[in-house]
Amino acid sequence: MSKKPKSIPERLTWAASLVDAQVNDRILEIGCGAGLFAGLLAARLDGGYLQAIDRSFPMAEKARIRNKRHVEAGRMSIANVDIGQFECAGTFDKIIAFNVGFFRQDSPTELDVIRRLLGPRDRLFVFYQAPYNLDRDFADSIAANLTKNSYSVEDTILQRLHPTYACCVIASPKPARP
């Protein structure tokens, strides 16, 4: 008896379409959980690289096991670290986060780290889907927090998905003042 393949949740296929990973992209996923979204994006990379991080050791381990083939192929690395302590050389073309709480709070430390990891034309994608329906006010609170912390919000998307609405806020760092 063969195992039925698990389906990818609609929220992740929708989010992947918005991120539109290109073969040479350098992507950072904050709060990768068990690594399902990271694996979906890493499968599109050929010459690119995805760094996934999660502050939970058990979740980082699950992500590492799930994505062993991407890790072994050199397309992905997974680290058990909080974004506030994350360090790396270089920048990322895209930084993504799904249901990461600090984007809705006053979080200048985390947002400063993210800003340093993005170049001026690079993008931050903040996704949420809660067990309850999200509305425009929910998405606007994320956009307001990003604006307050020196990001330019390019788009705020509210999408009806199963079982509830999801949102995405796309932003880029504002250029540093001379």
Side-chain angles (χ1 to χ4, degrees), residues 76-93:
M76 181 190 293
S77 180
I78 301 158
N80 170 223
V81 65
D82 185 89
I83 188 64
Q85 285 75 47
F86 179 70
E87 294 180 18
C88 81
T91 60
F92 292 91
D93 303 303

Side-chain angles (χ1 to χ4, degrees), residues 30-32 83 96-104 126-128 142:
I30 301 166
C32 69
I83 188 64
I96 58 175
F98 215 115
N99 291 347
V100 175
F102 71 75
F103 288 100
R104 296 195 63 227
V126 180
F127 297 97
Y128 273 90
I142 297 165

